[in-house]
Amino acid sequence: MGKPRVIYWFRTDLRLHDSPALKAALDLKPECLYPIWTWDPHYVYRARVGPNRWQFLLDCQNDLSASITKLNKKSKLHVIREAPQTLFPKLWKAWKISHLVFEKDTDSYARSRDEEVIALAKKAGVEVIVKTGRTLFDPDELVKQNRGKPTMSMNQVQHAGETLGEPARPIDAPQSLPDPGDTKLDFDQEQPASDPDVNAVQRDQDEKSYASGLAGPKGDFSVPTLEEIGIKNATSPHRGGETRALKGLDEIIKDEDYTATFAKPNTAPTDFEPQSTTLLSPHLHFGSLSCRLFYWRAQDVISKYGSKATQPPTSLTGQLLFRDMYFGAQAALGHTFAQTVGNPNCRFVPWHLPSRVQDSSDRDSAPVTTTNAASGTQERDYQIDSPEAEEYFRRWKHGITGFPWIDALMRQLRHDGWIHHLGRHAVACFLTRGGCYVSWERGASVFEEWLIDHEVACNIGNWQWLSCTAFYAQFYRCYSPVAFPRKWDKEGRFVRKWVPEMADVPEKYVYEPWKAPIQDLKKAGVMLKKGAELGEEEGGSKVYPKPMFDFNDRRQICIDGLKQAYDVGLYGNDPKVLDGSWRKLFPDDAEGPTKGKKGGIGGMIEDDEEATGEEEFDDVQRKGEGEEGSAKKKSENQGGASPKPGRKRKENHGSMEQFVKRSKK
DNA sequence: CATCACGTTGTCTCA
DNA sequence: TTGAGACAACGTGAT
């Protein structure tokens, strides 16, 4: 047997420091090591990724490639433009590969992809080595120690963590890397299907990263550019790469007081330049920073600091434990974690704009939706049960609610791809249980698109938390879009930066301009108009919307709604949720799509007649992001009122019963 | 079975 | 100006 010829497959571990999987690859003492990235059409076309996160990814890849080259002039990150499932068997043969090494992933698409690759490797006689490295603890181990249950509280995480021992100490970056072998590609590229393209809205040109062949336009395995992917220009100042991550970590750790006395609830969501938290989360997502390196560098400072150091859950290390909690919940629940329907852990609330789901036989067997289960969250169709709620949602997304605090945060989110954790609380509460009564799945979908640190497990977990559908239940604690920011930023500096309409409004009214005397507004060069859109001007004045509703009224409606839903007490996997009979448990006039006695899964079917249905659904449906952008290369079977032939709801009576039985197990 | 304390991050009024 | 308590009231886990 010859010496190992190894592919190291980079994924969400775009770093050289503290990579257990990379160490395992090097421990093989390989004859050659190919560092590769498979340019997966799933990511290009099916996962919702906005320009800022694309930029961050490319930053990480370029930085990593340069770091690899520094260790070995012959080596680099080899980006190969094809899906791993089809590429690998050809590649293993061409490069005479003996071992494939990668870091374990936990997201639902990644898990099924990896299973497939592992099976292919077995068939090809390639040995696969998988190491955990994305979290402090292996999420599957964490769940096992939690008696197989999803980790739903910090207590559980810490308890389960104790039995697993301390997180591993970080591993040093390698000092050298073996040469890659011959990189000839003597096989054809499989062109991916670009339809449906959920990222069409993110592009201003055609996607052409596959058009130049497996090794890119120069044949040198280059990292694609935003232009090649056809993605619009990024706007975020926050950039990626391990070099930046390590520098950022150094800055944090250097400040021992900050590191040791960090208390999340005391960090101001209104601070900017600099922000009050570390901004290292996107690096954790892409793996350009190891969470264990972060943990131990912080912990070593904390240990030395003495009794004034903060403790989990509010401390810096506590933040990392929260991340593990969400990964544990995801690991235990699988793909249902990312949605309400079918999720035994998520409370059922009759939110407006509920996700459409396929019938139960689809739901239970294959991915929840064919186009997007992959990304782990939803960008699937949703039911517009209320045009008013749809308008609330649109205004929330684009920062034109008329509540300056909410609008500032949403504009910052869109532009920078990052907002402070408590800012996320504010907008999430506002969209769901503290204002709009819109499904948390709509909000999660927007965060998925825009956040540079979007992590499926954390995003979903936090949306469930804030909407009081899991993890948290004190729905009567509700963030006010006026009182909450005022506590942190009385002068309104943050709002003035992001909502220039408020730039000169007196401090007293900066969070509630509708209360300002007309002459004050005039002096501030702004006028309020019902239903104003972004950037409107009139007679030399900036125009800002009047608040889209009375917050106190809406808060009460929401609290009453939540109380009702808690009383009814259904969870996402309840047969009554799936077959629509949940409606019988709510009065017709309760908030949400509660009218009638029957209805489909998660609100899919709107009235009693349709509930028996064998007809196609042709009622209004729309994608979450459909309303914006010039590059609307709308994929046909995603939206619009023109369902493809054959998009019929499957006959569902028998299969429904079947599901109900299964769900009772 | 009850009771109670607690849970990373609420708001409002009143002294 | 700051701090305490009311508000109306969730689930979990310890006792």
Side-chain angles (χ1 to χ4, degrees):
Chain A
M1 215 169 85
K3 286 181 82 180
R5 301 174 59 85
V6 178
I7 282 179
Y8 187 79
W9 185 18
F10 281 98
R11 301 112 61 88
T12 49
D13 56 333
L14 290 165
R15 66 175 178 274
L16 294 179
H17 289 76
D18 188 36
S19 175
L22 183 59
K23 178 175 184 299
L26 295 172
D27 284 349
L28 293 169
K29 306 265 182 266
E31 173 192 343
C32 56
L33 179 82
Y34 295 94
I36 75 157
W37 175 279
T38 56
W39 190 250
D40 188 338
H42 171 264
Y43 204 75
V44 175
Y45 296 119
R46 314 282 186 265
R48 283 163 67 88
V49 185
N52 290 329
R53 194 153 85 255
W54 273 114
Q55 173 178 265
F56 206 98
L57 169 67
L58 303 184
D59 284 347
C60 288
Q61 293 179 328
N62 281 311
D63 183 74
L64 175 67
S65 193
S67 299
I68 291 170
T69 304
K70 249 183 228 163
L71 294 182
N72 183 334
K73 268 186 279 185
K74 291 182 188 156
S75 195
K76 65 188 302 189
L77 180 67
H78 298 79
V79 176
I80 308 181
R81 303 169 185 222
E82 189 174 321
Q85 299 92 326
T86 55
L87 170 70
F88 272 138
K90 298 182 283 186
L91 193 62
W92 293 330
K93 208 169 148 207
W95 290 355
K96 302 186 178 61
I97 295 301
S98 64
H99 292 73
L100 173 71
V101 185
F102 57 85
E103 184 180 271
K104 184 171 167 178
D105 205 330
T106 46
D107 292 353
S108 69
Y109 165 72
R111 282 206 190 212
S112 56
R113 174 199 62 199
D114 292 350
E115 273 169 30
E116 202 179 327
V117 166
I118 288 167
L120 290 166
K122 200 171 174 191
K123 217 164 114 191
V126 169
E127 195 175 321
V128 178
I129 297 174
V130 182
K131 293 283 176 187
T132 308
R134 197 174 174 188
T135 44
L136 297 176
F137 304 103
D138 181 334
D140 294 323
E141 289 298 316
L142 202 62
V143 171
K144 211 187 275 174
Q145 292 305 323
N146 197 42
R147 290 167 302 163
K149 292 252 157 58
T151 40
M152 299 303 288
S153 73
M154 215 39 187
N155 247 344
Q156 292 172 355
V157 172
Q158 284 176 291
H159 195 256
E162 267 165 35
T163 61
L164 291 172
E166 290 186 316
R169 281 272 174 181
I171 303 162
D172 288 338
Q175 298 293 309
S176 65
L177 290 172
D179 292 351
D182 181 18
T183 55
K184 208 164 69 196
L185 299 169
D186 57 356
F187 52 84
D188 289 334
Q189 178 193 37
E190 184 160 315
Q191 288 288 332
S194 60
D195 183 56
D197 179 6
V198 306
N199 284 320
V201 70
Q202 316 294 354
R203 304 185 208 280
D204 53 8
Q205 340 170 15
D206 286 341
E207 201 295 309
K208 26 186 194 305
S209 63
Y210 295 96
S212 47
L214 287 159
K218 292 188 191 138
D220 61 352
F221 301 95
S222 63
V223 173
T225 59
L226 278 181
E227 204 193 343
E228 281 180 76
I229 321 166
I231 296 287
K232 294 172 189 171
N233 283 335
T235 52
S236 176
H238 311 307
R239 303 296 297 261
E242 184 178 25
T243 306
R244 283 196 191 89
L246 293 173
K247 199 162 156 254
L249 180 63
D250 282 346
E251 297 280 314
I252 301 293
I253 300 298
K254 203 166 68 190
D255 188 340
E256 294 186 0
D257 292 327
Y258 179 87
T259 300
T261 64
F262 182 93
K264 187 59 146 294
N266 299 342
T267 59
T270 47
D271 280 5
F272 57 96
E273 289 167 7
Q275 75 292 335
S276 61
T277 48
T278 67
L279 240 164
L280 290 171
S281 51
H283 293 291
L284 294 176
H285 167 67
F286 285 106
S288 44
L289 177 65
S290 153
C291 61
R292 288 170 309 282
L293 180 61
F294 190 175
Y295 179 90
W296 278 113
R297 288 201 62 190
Q299 188 55 50
D300 287 344
V301 170
I302 291 164
S303 302
K304 274 196 309 202
Y305 196 82
S307 59
K308 287 208 175 124
T310 45
Q311 293 295 315
T314 53
S315 67
L316 215 42
T317 51
Q319 308 314 299
L320 293 166
L321 289 168
F322 264 104
R323 184 168 171 270
D324 267 48
M325 176 181 82
Y326 290 132
F327 272 89
Q330 180 191 42
L333 293 165
H335 74 266
T336 58
F337 175 63
Q339 60 191 32
T340 301
V341 172
N343 184 341
N345 240 268
C346 181
R347 284 181 179 281
F348 174 78
V349 175
W351 306 113
H352 291 298
L353 314 184
S355 298
R356 285 178 190 284
V357 281
Q358 295 167 21
D359 71 61
S360 56
S361 57
D362 282 351
R363 196 208 62 74
D364 204 37
S365 53
V368 178
T369 60
T370 46
T371 54
N372 58 33
S375 67
T377 61
Q378 300 68 32
E379 29 70 34
R380 61 163 164 261
D381 297 337
Y382 59 92
Q383 179 197 351
I384 301 175
D385 63 291
S386 150
E388 187 186 46
E390 171 71 357
E391 177 67 358
Y392 291 166
F393 176 46
R394 186 184 73 86
R395 291 193 161 271
W396 174 85
K397 181 174 179 181
H398 293 100
I400 42 173
T401 64
F403 295 94
W405 166 238
I406 300 298
D407 294 342
L409 288 163
M410 292 307 291
R411 294 181 195 185
Q412 183 192 26
L413 169 60
R414 186 175 199 179
H415 187 271
D416 283 6
W418 181 91
I419 53 179
H420 185 279
H421 187 67
L422 291 178
R424 302 182 195 197
H425 278 213
V427 296
C429 180
F430 185 87
L431 182 70
T432 58
R433 68 180 168 86
C436 305
Y437 212 71
V438 163
S439 169
W440 61 266
E441 294 174 48
R442 301 286 71 69
S445 189
V446 172
F447 275 30
E448 178 185 12
E449 179 183 349
W450 284 351
L451 279 175
I452 51 171
D453 59 14
H454 171 258
E455 186 88 82
V456 173
C458 301
N459 188 44
I460 296 297
N462 277 316
W463 274 95
Q464 292 179 1
W465 184 301
L466 265 300
S467 62
C468 289
T469 49
F471 300 99
Y472 187 78
Q474 288 160 264
F475 53 77
Y476 43 90
R477 291 193 179 167
C478 183
Y479 291 92
S480 153
V482 176
F484 185 70
R486 198 172 265 160
K487 190 169 73 183
W488 299 103
D489 180 10
K490 196 158 174 294
E491 308 84 53
R493 288 174 55 247
F494 175 81
V495 152
R496 292 174 205 279
K497 174 184 164 72
W498 288 103
V499 183
E501 299 95 302
M502 291 301 109
D504 299 314
V505 169
E507 183 176 311
K508 192 177 171 191
Y509 303 111
V510 70
Y511 294 115
E512 39 187 355
W514 59 91
K515 288 190 179 167
I518 192 87
Q519 57 270 32
D520 281 12
L521 291 176
K522 212 167 226 172
K523 220 164 31 180
V526 62
M527 64 179 284
L528 301 189
K529 202 178 94 184
K530 191 168 184 273
E533 298 294 328
L534 203 56
E536 267 189 54
E537 288 195 25
E538 214 170 292
S541 265
K542 293 171 275 190
V543 177
Y544 184 70
K546 285 186 178 170
M548 65 186 189
F549 48 57
D550 181 296
F551 175 73
N552 289 327
D553 289 354
R554 289 297 309 179
R555 170 167 57 190
Q556 200 52 54
I557 289 168
C558 289
I559 288 177
D560 293 347
L562 264 288
K563 176 150 176 47
Q564 181 120 54
Y566 268 65
D567 285 347
V568 169
L570 298 175
Y571 284 81
N573 66 334
D574 195 294
K576 293 192 189 71
V577 170
L578 302 172
D579 69 15
S581 61
W582 60 269
R583 287 166 194 263
K584 289 181 197 161
L585 306 175
F586 289 82
D588 280 359
D589 59 353
E591 187 69 8
T594 51
K595 267 202 178 59
K597 295 288 177 234
K598 283 184 178 175
I601 300 165
M604 182 173 72
I605 305 158
E606 287 177 42
D607 60 42
D608 295 15
E609 268 61 58
E610 282 182 286
T612 56
E614 49 277 358
E615 66 294 323
E616 291 181 28
F617 33 72
D618 56 356
D619 44 329
V620 193
Q621 27 181 301
R622 191 180 322 167
K623 281 206 301 178
E625 81 267 32
E627 77 276 12
E628 71 187 17
S630 49
K632 244 189 244 176
K633 292 181 281 180
K634 242 194 164 178
S635 48
E636 281 171 23
N637 65 350
Q638 272 287 320
S642 55
K644 274 187 179 174
R647 195 192 153 102
K648 270 189 183 173
R649 190 149 26 80
K650 290 181 190 161
E651 56 77 36
N652 55 16
H653 238 66
S655 55
M656 190 76 71
E657 276 165 15
Q658 207 182 351
F659 173 74
V660 168
K661 268 182 220 133
R662 265 177 294 168
S663 76
K664 276 182 178 165
K665 272 189 215 162

